[in-house]
PDB file of all heavy atoms in Angstrom:
ATOM      1  N   GLN A 176     106.306 102.250 137.822  1.00  0.00           N
ATOM      2  CA  GLN A 176     105.838 102.173 136.442  1.00  0.00           C
ATOM      3  C   GLN A 176     106.639 103.146 135.593  1.00  0.00           C
ATOM      4  O   GLN A 176     106.533 104.351 135.774  1.00  0.00           O
ATOM      5  CB  GLN A 176     104.336 102.471 136.354  1.00  0.00           C
ATOM      6  CG  GLN A 176     103.770 102.208 134.984  1.00  0.00           C
ATOM      7  CD  GLN A 176     102.234 102.182 135.004  1.00  0.00           C
ATOM      8  OE1 GLN A 176     101.594 102.590 135.951  1.00  0.00           O
ATOM      9  NE2 GLN A 176     101.671 101.630 133.955  1.00  0.00           N
ATOM     10  N   ALA A 177     107.420 102.574 134.685  1.00  0.00           N
ATOM     11  CA  ALA A 177     108.206 103.391 133.773  1.00  0.00           C
ATOM     12  C   ALA A 177     107.346 103.766 132.554  1.00  0.00           C
ATOM     13  O   ALA A 177     106.354 103.089 132.259  1.00  0.00           O
ATOM     14  CB  ALA A 177     109.417 102.621 133.304  1.00  0.00           C
ATOM     15  N   PRO A 178     107.681 104.815 131.847  1.00  0.00           N
ATOM     16  CA  PRO A 178     106.909 105.224 130.674  1.00  0.00           C
ATOM     17  C   PRO A 178     106.765 104.115 129.656  1.00  0.00           C
ATOM     18  O   PRO A 178     107.759 103.478 129.294  1.00  0.00           O
ATOM     19  CB  PRO A 178     107.734 106.406 130.105  1.00  0.00           C
ATOM     20  CG  PRO A 178     108.511 106.920 131.268  1.00  0.00           C
ATOM     21  CD  PRO A 178     108.814 105.739 132.123  1.00  0.00           C
ATOM     22  N   GLY A 179     105.542 103.833 129.286  1.00  0.00           N
ATOM     23  CA  GLY A 179     105.272 102.808 128.288  1.00  0.00           C
ATOM     24  C   GLY A 179     105.366 101.385 128.777  1.00  0.00           C
ATOM     25  O   GLY A 179     105.259 100.447 127.969  1.00  0.00           O
ATOM     26  N   LYS A 180     105.534 101.226 130.088  1.00  0.00           N
ATOM     27  CA  LYS A 180     105.686  99.869 130.629  1.00  0.00           C
ATOM     28  C   LYS A 180     104.593  99.603 131.669  1.00  0.00           C
ATOM     29  O   LYS A 180     103.971 100.533 132.189  1.00  0.00           O
ATOM     30  CB  LYS A 180     107.065  99.689 131.239  1.00  0.00           C
ATOM     31  CG  LYS A 180     108.190  99.756 130.199  1.00  0.00           C
ATOM     32  CD  LYS A 180     109.506  99.379 130.848  1.00  0.00           C
ATOM     33  CE  LYS A 180     110.641  99.361 129.820  1.00  0.00           C
ATOM     34  NZ  LYS A 180     111.956  98.981 130.412  1.00  0.00           N
ATOM     35  N   GLU A 181     104.454  98.334 132.015  1.00  0.00           N
ATOM     36  CA  GLU A 181     103.511  97.956 133.041  1.00  0.00           C
ATOM     37  C   GLU A 181     104.043  98.241 134.434  1.00  0.00           C
ATOM     38  O   GLU A 181     105.276  98.277 134.618  1.00  0.00           O
ATOM     39  CB  GLU A 181     103.167  96.481 132.894  1.00  0.00           C
ATOM     40  CG  GLU A 181     102.424  96.135 131.610  1.00  0.00           C
ATOM     41  CD  GLU A 181     101.991  94.663 131.597  1.00  0.00           C
ATOM     42  OE1 GLU A 181     102.392  93.916 132.461  1.00  0.00           O
ATOM     43  OE2 GLU A 181     101.210  94.313 130.692  1.00  0.00           O
ATOM     44  N   ARG A 182     103.154  98.424 135.378  1.00  0.00           N
ATOM     45  CA  ARG A 182     103.574  98.600 136.755  1.00  0.00           C
ATOM     46  C   ARG A 182     104.223  97.310 137.238  1.00  0.00           C
ATOM     47  O   ARG A 182     103.714  96.209 137.000  1.00  0.00           O
ATOM     48  CB  ARG A 182     102.367  98.961 137.611  1.00  0.00           C
ATOM     49  CG  ARG A 182     102.712  99.504 138.986  1.00  0.00           C
ATOM     50  CD  ARG A 182     101.510 100.020 139.730  1.00  0.00           C
ATOM     51  NE  ARG A 182     100.920 101.163 139.018  1.00  0.00           N
ATOM     52  CZ  ARG A 182      99.963 101.938 139.550  1.00  0.00           C
ATOM     53  NH1 ARG A 182      99.502 101.684 140.753  1.00  0.00           N
ATOM     54  NH2 ARG A 182      99.464 102.928 138.829  1.00  0.00           N
ATOM     55  N   GLU A 183     105.339  97.445 137.998  1.00  0.00           N
ATOM     56  CA  GLU A 183     106.032  96.252 138.459  1.00  0.00           C
ATOM     57  C   GLU A 183     106.381  96.382 139.947  1.00  0.00           C
ATOM     58  O   GLU A 183     106.574  97.454 140.458  1.00  0.00           O
ATOM     59  CB  GLU A 183     107.333  96.061 137.650  1.00  0.00           C
ATOM     60  CG  GLU A 183     108.340  97.146 137.805  1.00  0.00           C
ATOM     61  CD  GLU A 183     109.643  96.883 137.062  1.00  0.00           C
ATOM     62  OE1 GLU A 183     109.742  95.866 136.333  1.00  0.00           O
ATOM     63  OE2 GLU A 183     110.596  97.672 137.221  1.00  0.00           O
ATOM     64  N   PHE A 184     106.525  95.229 140.560  1.00  0.00           N
ATOM     65  CA  PHE A 184     106.872  95.130 141.961  1.00  0.00           C
ATOM     66  C   PHE A 184     108.322  95.569 142.172  1.00  0.00           C
ATOM     67  O   PHE A 184     109.202  95.235 141.380  1.00  0.00           O
ATOM     68  CB  PHE A 184     106.663  93.709 142.421  1.00  0.00           C
ATOM     69  CG  PHE A 184     107.233  93.415 143.809  1.00  0.00           C
ATOM     70  CD1 PHE A 184     106.564  93.832 144.944  1.00  0.00           C
ATOM     71  CD2 PHE A 184     108.444  92.745 143.956  1.00  0.00           C
ATOM     72  CE1 PHE A 184     107.076  93.573 146.195  1.00  0.00           C
ATOM     73  CE2 PHE A 184     108.957  92.493 145.198  1.00  0.00           C
ATOM     74  CZ  PHE A 184     108.288  92.907 146.333  1.00  0.00           C
ATOM     75  N   VAL A 185     108.566  96.271 143.274  1.00  0.00           N
ATOM     76  CA  VAL A 185     109.905  96.718 143.640  1.00  0.00           C
ATOM     77  C   VAL A 185     110.331  96.035 144.976  1.00  0.00           C
ATOM     78  O   VAL A 185     111.363  95.376 145.021  1.00  0.00           O
ATOM     79  CB  VAL A 185     110.034  98.230 143.780  1.00  0.00           C
ATOM     80  CG1 VAL A 185     111.388  98.637 144.255  1.00  0.00           C
ATOM     81  CG2 VAL A 185     109.718  98.883 142.432  1.00  0.00           C
ATOM     82  N   ALA A 186     109.567  96.265 146.023  1.00  0.00           N
ATOM     83  CA  ALA A 186     109.959  95.766 147.341  1.00  0.00           C
ATOM     84  C   ALA A 186     108.735  95.733 148.245  1.00  0.00           C
ATOM     85  O   ALA A 186     107.779  96.473 148.036  1.00  0.00           O
ATOM     86  CB  ALA A 186     111.041  96.635 147.950  1.00  0.00           C
ATOM     87  N   ALA A 187     108.811  94.873 149.260  1.00  0.00           N
ATOM     88  CA  ALA A 187     107.748  94.785 150.262  1.00  0.00           C
ATOM     89  C   ALA A 187     108.352  94.388 151.604  1.00  0.00           C
ATOM     90  O   ALA A 187     109.445  93.794 151.655  1.00  0.00           O
ATOM     91  CB  ALA A 187     106.667  93.784 149.833  1.00  0.00           C
ATOM     92  N   ILE A 188     107.608  94.698 152.666  1.00  0.00           N
ATOM     93  CA  ILE A 188     108.086  94.433 154.016  1.00  0.00           C
ATOM     94  C   ILE A 188     106.894  93.957 154.863  1.00  0.00           C
ATOM     95  O   ILE A 188     105.791  94.488 154.764  1.00  0.00           O
ATOM     96  CB  ILE A 188     108.752  95.692 154.608  1.00  0.00           C
ATOM     97  CG1 ILE A 188     109.380  95.392 155.982  1.00  0.00           C
ATOM     98  CG2 ILE A 188     107.759  96.869 154.707  1.00  0.00           C
ATOM     99  CD1 ILE A 188     110.317  96.502 156.472  1.00  0.00           C
ATOM    100  N   SER A 189     107.147  92.940 155.672  1.00  0.00           N
ATOM    101  CA  SER A 189     106.110  92.427 156.542  1.00  0.00           C
ATOM    102  C   SER A 189     105.731  93.400 157.615  1.00  0.00           C
ATOM    103  O   SER A 189     106.504  94.348 157.894  1.00  0.00           O
ATOM    104  CB  SER A 189     106.556  91.088 157.172  1.00  0.00           C
ATOM    105  OG  SER A 189     107.678  91.338 157.994  1.00  0.00           O
ATOM    106  N   TRP A 190     104.587  93.191 158.276  1.00  0.00           N
ATOM    107  CA  TRP A 190     104.151  94.175 159.263  1.00  0.00           C
ATOM    108  C   TRP A 190     105.091  94.244 160.458  1.00  0.00           C
ATOM    109  O   TRP A 190     105.262  95.307 161.089  1.00  0.00           O
ATOM    110  CB  TRP A 190     102.703  93.914 159.713  1.00  0.00           C
ATOM    111  CG  TRP A 190     102.431  92.644 160.459  1.00  0.00           C
ATOM    112  CD1 TRP A 190     101.867  91.498 159.965  1.00  0.00           C
ATOM    113  CD2 TRP A 190     102.663  92.373 161.843  1.00  0.00           C
ATOM    114  NE1 TRP A 190     101.745  90.569 160.928  1.00  0.00           N
ATOM    115  CE2 TRP A 190     102.202  91.085 162.103  1.00  0.00           C
ATOM    116  CE3 TRP A 190     103.188  93.127 162.908  1.00  0.00           C
ATOM    117  CZ2 TRP A 190     102.296  90.520 163.359  1.00  0.00           C
ATOM    118  CZ3 TRP A 190     103.276  92.565 164.156  1.00  0.00           C
ATOM    119  CH2 TRP A 190     102.827  91.259 164.387  1.00  0.00           C
ATOM    120  N   SER A 191     105.788  93.153 160.740  1.00  0.00           N
ATOM    121  CA  SER A 191     106.705  93.110 161.872  1.00  0.00           C
ATOM    122  C   SER A 191     108.093  93.624 161.470  1.00  0.00           C
ATOM    123  O   SER A 191     108.992  93.765 162.329  1.00  0.00           O
ATOM    124  CB  SER A 191     106.862  91.695 162.383  1.00  0.00           C
ATOM    125  OG  SER A 191     107.407  90.874 161.396  1.00  0.00           O
ATOM    126  N   ALA A 192     108.312  93.866 160.156  1.00  0.00           N
ATOM    127  CA  ALA A 192     109.600  94.254 159.598  1.00  0.00           C
ATOM    128  C   ALA A 192     110.636  93.132 159.701  1.00  0.00           C
ATOM    129  O   ALA A 192     111.818  93.364 159.473  1.00  0.00           O
ATOM    130  CB  ALA A 192     110.139  95.513 160.256  1.00  0.00           C
ATOM    131  N   SER A 193     110.190  91.931 160.003  1.00  0.00           N
ATOM    132  CA  SER A 193     111.112  90.813 160.106  1.00  0.00           C
ATOM    133  C   SER A 193     111.400  90.143 158.779  1.00  0.00           C
ATOM    134  O   SER A 193     112.312  89.300 158.692  1.00  0.00           O
ATOM    135  CB  SER A 193     110.551  89.772 161.084  1.00  0.00           C
ATOM    136  OG  SER A 193     109.299  89.293 160.617  1.00  0.00           O
ATOM    137  N   SER A 194     110.623  90.482 157.764  1.00  0.00           N
ATOM    138  CA  SER A 194     110.814  89.895 156.438  1.00  0.00           C
ATOM    139  C   SER A 194     110.694  90.974 155.347  1.00  0.00           C
ATOM    140  O   SER A 194     109.821  91.806 155.392  1.00  0.00           O
ATOM    141  CB  SER A 194     109.794  88.773 156.186  1.00  0.00           C
ATOM    142  OG  SER A 194     109.852  88.282 154.878  1.00  0.00           O
ATOM    143  N   THR A 195     111.601  90.896 154.386  1.00  0.00           N
ATOM    144  CA  THR A 195     111.557  91.795 153.224  1.00  0.00           C
ATOM    145  C   THR A 195     111.641  90.975 151.951  1.00  0.00           C
ATOM    146  O   THR A 195     112.103  89.841 151.948  1.00  0.00           O
ATOM    147  CB  THR A 195     112.681  92.833 153.264  1.00  0.00           C
ATOM    148  OG1 THR A 195     113.937  92.153 153.334  1.00  0.00           O
ATOM    149  CG2 THR A 195     112.519  93.750 154.456  1.00  0.00           C
ATOM    150  N   ASN A 196     111.236  91.626 150.877  1.00  0.00           N
ATOM    151  CA  ASN A 196     111.153  90.963 149.581  1.00  0.00           C
ATOM    152  C   ASN A 196     111.479  91.987 148.512  1.00  0.00           C
ATOM    153  O   ASN A 196     110.940  93.105 148.534  1.00  0.00           O
ATOM    154  CB  ASN A 196     109.685  90.436 149.421  1.00  0.00           C
ATOM    155  CG  ASN A 196     109.477  89.640 148.171  1.00  0.00           C
ATOM    156  OD1 ASN A 196     110.388  89.203 147.517  1.00  0.00           O
ATOM    157  ND2 ASN A 196     108.214  89.524 147.789  1.00  0.00           N
ATOM    158  N   TYR A 197     112.380  91.671 147.595  1.00  0.00           N
ATOM    159  CA  TYR A 197     112.836  92.620 146.579  1.00  0.00           C
ATOM    160  C   TYR A 197     112.746  92.020 145.180  1.00  0.00           C
ATOM    161  O   TYR A 197     112.990  90.822 145.013  1.00  0.00           O
ATOM    162  CB  TYR A 197     114.280  93.055 146.847  1.00  0.00           C
ATOM    163  CG  TYR A 197     114.499  93.811 148.104  1.00  0.00           C
ATOM    164  CD1 TYR A 197     114.856  93.159 149.291  1.00  0.00           C
ATOM    165  CD2 TYR A 197     114.347  95.193 148.160  1.00  0.00           C
ATOM    166  CE1 TYR A 197     115.050  93.862 150.472  1.00  0.00           C
ATOM    167  CE2 TYR A 197     114.550  95.894 149.314  1.00  0.00           C
ATOM    168  CZ  TYR A 197     114.896  95.239 150.484  1.00  0.00           C
ATOM    169  OH  TYR A 197     115.088  95.930 151.642  1.00  0.00           O
ATOM    170  N   ALA A 198     112.516  92.862 144.220  1.00  0.00           N
ATOM    171  CA  ALA A 198     112.667  92.476 142.814  1.00  0.00           C
ATOM    172  C   ALA A 198     114.169  92.277 142.540  1.00  0.00           C
ATOM    173  O   ALA A 198     115.010  92.965 143.129  1.00  0.00           O
ATOM    174  CB  ALA A 198     112.109  93.543 141.912  1.00  0.00           C
ATOM    175  N   ASP A 199     114.459  91.356 141.660  1.00  0.00           N
ATOM    176  CA  ASP A 199     115.886  91.056 141.361  1.00  0.00           C
ATOM    177  C   ASP A 199     116.618  92.315 140.861  1.00  0.00           C
ATOM    178  O   ASP A 199     117.823  92.473 141.123  1.00  0.00           O
ATOM    179  CB  ASP A 199     115.966  89.945 140.321  1.00  0.00           C
ATOM    180  CG  ASP A 199     115.595  88.585 140.864  1.00  0.00           C
ATOM    181  OD1 ASP A 199     115.593  88.433 142.108  1.00  0.00           O
ATOM    182  OD2 ASP A 199     115.313  87.680 140.073  1.00  0.00           O
ATOM    183  N   SER A 200     115.904  93.165 140.134  1.00  0.00           N
ATOM    184  CA  SER A 200     116.538  94.319 139.556  1.00  0.00           C
ATOM    185  C   SER A 200     117.018  95.348 140.571  1.00  0.00           C
ATOM    186  O   SER A 200     117.812  96.221 140.217  1.00  0.00           O
ATOM    187  CB  SER A 200     115.575  94.994 138.547  1.00  0.00           C
ATOM    188  OG  SER A 200     114.377  95.371 139.222  1.00  0.00           O
ATOM    189  N   VAL A 201     116.521  95.269 141.803  1.00  0.00           N
ATOM    190  CA  VAL A 201     116.912  96.273 142.788  1.00  0.00           C
ATOM    191  C   VAL A 201     117.637  95.678 143.984  1.00  0.00           C
ATOM    192  O   VAL A 201     118.089  96.406 144.870  1.00  0.00           O
ATOM    193  CB  VAL A 201     115.690  97.050 143.279  1.00  0.00           C
ATOM    194  CG1 VAL A 201     114.917  97.672 142.110  1.00  0.00           C
ATOM    195  CG2 VAL A 201     114.758  96.217 144.141  1.00  0.00           C
ATOM    196  N   LYS A 202     117.776  94.375 144.060  1.00  0.00           N
ATOM    197  CA  LYS A 202     118.443  93.740 145.169  1.00  0.00           C
ATOM    198  C   LYS A 202     119.861  94.266 145.336  1.00  0.00           C
ATOM    199  O   LYS A 202     120.602  94.393 144.339  1.00  0.00           O
ATOM    200  CB  LYS A 202     118.486  92.229 144.985  1.00  0.00           C
ATOM    201  CG  LYS A 202     117.194  91.515 145.343  1.00  0.00           C
ATOM    202  CD  LYS A 202     117.318  90.015 145.131  1.00  0.00           C
ATOM    203  CE  LYS A 202     116.032  89.298 145.459  1.00  0.00           C
ATOM    204  NZ  LYS A 202     116.082  87.852 145.191  1.00  0.00           N
ATOM    205  N   GLY A 203     120.219  94.562 146.558  1.00  0.00           N
ATOM    206  CA  GLY A 203     121.549  95.091 146.842  1.00  0.00           C
ATOM    207  C   GLY A 203     121.679  96.584 146.645  1.00  0.00           C
ATOM    208  O   GLY A 203     122.700  97.172 147.045  1.00  0.00           O
ATOM    209  N   ARG A 204     120.688  97.214 146.034  1.00  0.00           N
ATOM    210  CA  ARG A 204     120.736  98.669 145.822  1.00  0.00           C
ATOM    211  C   ARG A 204     119.641  99.387 146.617  1.00  0.00           C
ATOM    212  O   ARG A 204     119.850 100.513 147.077  1.00  0.00           O
ATOM    213  CB  ARG A 204     120.568  98.992 144.342  1.00  0.00           C
ATOM    214  CG  ARG A 204     121.639  98.376 143.444  1.00  0.00           C
ATOM    215  CD  ARG A 204     121.521  98.907 142.002  1.00  0.00           C
ATOM    216  NE  ARG A 204     120.239  98.557 141.399  1.00  0.00           N
ATOM    217  CZ  ARG A 204     119.402  99.474 140.873  1.00  0.00           C
ATOM    218  NH1 ARG A 204     119.682 100.786 140.948  1.00  0.00           N
ATOM    219  NH2 ARG A 204     118.286  99.105 140.320  1.00  0.00           N
ATOM    220  N   PHE A 205     118.495  98.781 146.742  1.00  0.00           N
ATOM    221  CA  PHE A 205     117.340  99.401 147.424  1.00  0.00           C
ATOM    222  C   PHE A 205     117.117  98.701 148.768  1.00  0.00           C
ATOM    223  O   PHE A 205     117.335  97.487 148.910  1.00  0.00           O
ATOM    224  CB  PHE A 205     116.058  99.270 146.619  1.00  0.00           C
ATOM    225  CG  PHE A 205     116.036 100.056 145.327  1.00  0.00           C
ATOM    226  CD1 PHE A 205     117.175 100.712 144.828  1.00  0.00           C
ATOM    227  CD2 PHE A 205     114.834 100.190 144.630  1.00  0.00           C
ATOM    228  CE1 PHE A 205     117.129 101.455 143.673  1.00  0.00           C
ATOM    229  CE2 PHE A 205     114.794 100.920 143.439  1.00  0.00           C
ATOM    230  CZ  PHE A 205     115.923 101.553 142.958  1.00  0.00           C
ATOM    231  N   THR A 206     116.669  99.495 149.731  1.00  0.00           N
ATOM    232  CA  THR A 206     116.328  98.950 151.057  1.00  0.00           C
ATOM    233  C   THR A 206     114.986  99.517 151.529  1.00  0.00           C
ATOM    234  O   THR A 206     114.774 100.733 151.517  1.00  0.00           O
ATOM    235  CB  THR A 206     117.393  99.339 152.091  1.00  0.00           C
ATOM    236  OG1 THR A 206     118.682  98.827 151.669  1.00  0.00           O
ATOM    237  CG2 THR A 206     117.039  98.718 153.443  1.00  0.00           C
ATOM    238  N   ILE A 207     114.089  98.597 151.843  1.00  0.00           N
ATOM    239  CA  ILE A 207     112.762  99.017 152.338  1.00  0.00           C
ATOM    240  C   ILE A 207     112.758  98.944 153.854  1.00  0.00           C
ATOM    241  O   ILE A 207     113.397  98.024 154.459  1.00  0.00           O
ATOM    242  CB  ILE A 207     111.653  98.134 151.724  1.00  0.00           C
ATOM    243  CG1 ILE A 207     110.273  98.725 152.084  1.00  0.00           C
ATOM    244  CG2 ILE A 207     111.792  96.676 152.148  1.00  0.00           C
ATOM    245  CD1 ILE A 207     109.114  98.042 151.345  1.00  0.00           C
ATOM    246  N   SER A 208     112.103  99.873 154.471  1.00  0.00           N
ATOM    247  CA  SER A 208     111.960  99.880 155.933  1.00  0.00           C
ATOM    248  C   SER A 208     110.615 100.507 156.312  1.00  0.00           C
ATOM    249  O   SER A 208     109.921 101.070 155.455  1.00  0.00           O
ATOM    250  CB  SER A 208     113.110 100.653 156.578  1.00  0.00           C
ATOM    251  OG  SER A 208     113.107 102.003 156.156  1.00  0.00           O
ATOM    252  N   ARG A 209     110.253 100.356 157.568  1.00  0.00           N
ATOM    253  CA  ARG A 209     108.980 100.928 158.008  1.00  0.00           C
ATOM    254  C   ARG A 209     109.071 101.416 159.438  1.00  0.00           C
ATOM    255  O   ARG A 209     109.949 100.953 160.200  1.00  0.00           O
ATOM    256  CB  ARG A 209     107.840  99.922 157.862  1.00  0.00           C
ATOM    257  CG  ARG A 209     107.955  98.690 158.752  1.00  0.00           C
ATOM    258  CD  ARG A 209     106.893  97.678 158.378  1.00  0.00           C
ATOM    259  NE  ARG A 209     105.504  98.155 158.619  1.00  0.00           N
ATOM    260  CZ  ARG A 209     104.445  97.623 158.105  1.00  0.00           C
ATOM    261  NH1 ARG A 209     104.518  96.590 157.257  1.00  0.00           N
ATOM    262  NH2 ARG A 209     103.246  98.096 158.404  1.00  0.00           N
ATOM    263  N   ASP A 210     108.178 102.299 159.788  1.00  0.00           N
ATOM    264  CA  ASP A 210     108.056 102.820 161.165  1.00  0.00           C
ATOM    265  C   ASP A 210     106.575 102.750 161.495  1.00  0.00           C
ATOM    266  O   ASP A 210     105.792 103.592 161.043  1.00  0.00           O
ATOM    267  CB  ASP A 210     108.596 104.221 161.219  1.00  0.00           C
ATOM    268  CG  ASP A 210     108.636 104.780 162.648  1.00  0.00           C
ATOM    269  OD1 ASP A 210     107.805 104.328 163.483  1.00  0.00           O
ATOM    270  OD2 ASP A 210     109.464 105.655 162.922  1.00  0.00           O
ATOM    271  N   ASN A 211     106.218 101.767 162.301  1.00  0.00           N
ATOM    272  CA  ASN A 211     104.784 101.573 162.593  1.00  0.00           C
ATOM    273  C   ASN A 211     104.235 102.681 163.517  1.00  0.00           C
ATOM    274  O   ASN A 211     103.032 102.917 163.534  1.00  0.00           O
ATOM    275  CB  ASN A 211     104.532 100.195 163.163  1.00  0.00           C
ATOM    276  CG  ASN A 211     104.637  99.098 162.139  1.00  0.00           C
ATOM    277  OD1 ASN A 211     104.507  99.371 160.934  1.00  0.00           O
ATOM    278  ND2 ASN A 211     104.869  97.866 162.582  1.00  0.00           N
ATOM    279  N   VAL A 212     105.110 103.298 164.263  1.00  0.00           N
ATOM    280  CA  VAL A 212     104.673 104.415 165.125  1.00  0.00           C
ATOM    281  C   VAL A 212     104.253 105.608 164.236  1.00  0.00           C
ATOM    282  O   VAL A 212     103.267 106.262 164.508  1.00  0.00           O
ATOM    283  CB  VAL A 212     105.761 104.800 166.113  1.00  0.00           C
ATOM    284  CG1 VAL A 212     105.363 106.063 166.876  1.00  0.00           C
ATOM    285  CG2 VAL A 212     106.052 103.645 167.061  1.00  0.00           C
ATOM    286  N   LYS A 213     105.049 105.818 163.181  1.00  0.00           N
ATOM    287  CA  LYS A 213     104.757 106.930 162.283  1.00  0.00           C
ATOM    288  C   LYS A 213     103.837 106.510 161.134  1.00  0.00           C
ATOM    289  O   LYS A 213     103.493 107.328 160.278  1.00  0.00           O
ATOM    290  CB  LYS A 213     106.079 107.472 161.691  1.00  0.00           C
ATOM    291  CG  LYS A 213     106.970 108.121 162.724  1.00  0.00           C
ATOM    292  CD  LYS A 213     108.233 108.712 162.087  1.00  0.00           C
ATOM    293  CE  LYS A 213     109.086 109.406 163.109  1.00  0.00           C
ATOM    294  NZ  LYS A 213     110.321 109.982 162.525  1.00  0.00           N
ATOM    295  N   ASN A 214     103.411 105.231 161.126  1.00  0.00           N
ATOM    296  CA  ASN A 214     102.507 104.746 160.115  1.00  0.00           C
ATOM    297  C   ASN A 214     103.066 104.982 158.718  1.00  0.00           C
ATOM    298  O   ASN A 214     102.368 105.426 157.795  1.00  0.00           O
ATOM    299  CB  ASN A 214     101.145 105.451 160.247  1.00  0.00           C
ATOM    300  CG  ASN A 214      99.952 104.490 160.133  1.00  0.00           C
ATOM    301  OD1 ASN A 214     100.090 103.305 160.433  1.00  0.00           O
ATOM    302  ND2 ASN A 214      98.829 104.997 159.714  1.00  0.00           N
ATOM    303  N   SER A 215     104.362 104.681 158.568  1.00  0.00           N
ATOM    304  CA  SER A 215     105.070 105.025 157.342  1.00  0.00           C
ATOM    305  C   SER A 215     105.956 103.889 156.844  1.00  0.00           C
ATOM    306  O   SER A 215     106.363 103.030 157.616  1.00  0.00           O
ATOM    307  CB  SER A 215     105.946 106.279 157.552  1.00  0.00           C
ATOM    308  OG  SER A 215     105.156 107.410 157.863  1.00  0.00           O
ATOM    309  N   VAL A 216     106.245 103.974 155.568  1.00  0.00           N
ATOM    310  CA  VAL A 216     107.178 103.065 154.923  1.00  0.00           C
ATOM    311  C   VAL A 216     108.163 103.880 154.083  1.00  0.00           C
ATOM    312  O   VAL A 216     107.797 104.919 153.579  1.00  0.00           O
ATOM    313  CB  VAL A 216     106.455 101.966 154.088  1.00  0.00           C
ATOM    314  CG1 VAL A 216     105.697 102.609 152.919  1.00  0.00           C
ATOM    315  CG2 VAL A 216     107.412 100.898 153.597  1.00  0.00           C
ATOM    316  N   TYR A 217     109.372 103.354 153.942  1.00  0.00           N
ATOM    317  CA  TYR A 217     110.402 104.078 153.243  1.00  0.00           C
ATOM    318  C   TYR A 217     111.114 103.186 152.222  1.00  0.00           C
ATOM    319  O   TYR A 217     111.103 101.953 152.340  1.00  0.00           O
ATOM    320  CB  TYR A 217     111.453 104.596 154.245  1.00  0.00           C
ATOM    321  CG  TYR A 217     110.853 105.309 155.404  1.00  0.00           C
ATOM    322  CD1 TYR A 217     110.581 104.644 156.615  1.00  0.00           C
ATOM    323  CD2 TYR A 217     110.512 106.675 155.312  1.00  0.00           C
ATOM    324  CE1 TYR A 217     109.989 105.310 157.681  1.00  0.00           C
ATOM    325  CE2 TYR A 217     109.925 107.337 156.360  1.00  0.00           C
ATOM    326  CZ  TYR A 217     109.670 106.648 157.545  1.00  0.00           C
ATOM    327  OH  TYR A 217     109.086 107.326 158.615  1.00  0.00           O
TER     328      TYR A 217
END
């Protein structure tokens, strides 16, 4: 959420990490990942 703007989607990852989903504005620049052992997402 940028100042004065609505909250917007950036990226998401399935629980198996086999599928990811990105907003067009960040594709190719941002990478989402997760570690289920550490109960974390990056």
Side-chain angles (χ1 to χ4, degrees):
Q176 187 165 16
K180 294 188 177 181
E181 295 185 350
R182 194 172 297 190
E183 64 176 6
F184 170 77
V185 175
I188 186 167
S189 64
W190 65 259
S191 65
S193 59
S194 174
T195 56
N196 183 17
Y197 294 93
D199 288 343
S200 59
V201 306
K202 280 181 182 177
R204 300 189 298 123
F205 292 10
T206 302
I207 189 170
S208 61
R209 66 188 295 163
D210 185 332
N211 286 340
V212 173
K213 294 183 178 179
N214 226 26
S215 297
V216 63
Y217 310 95

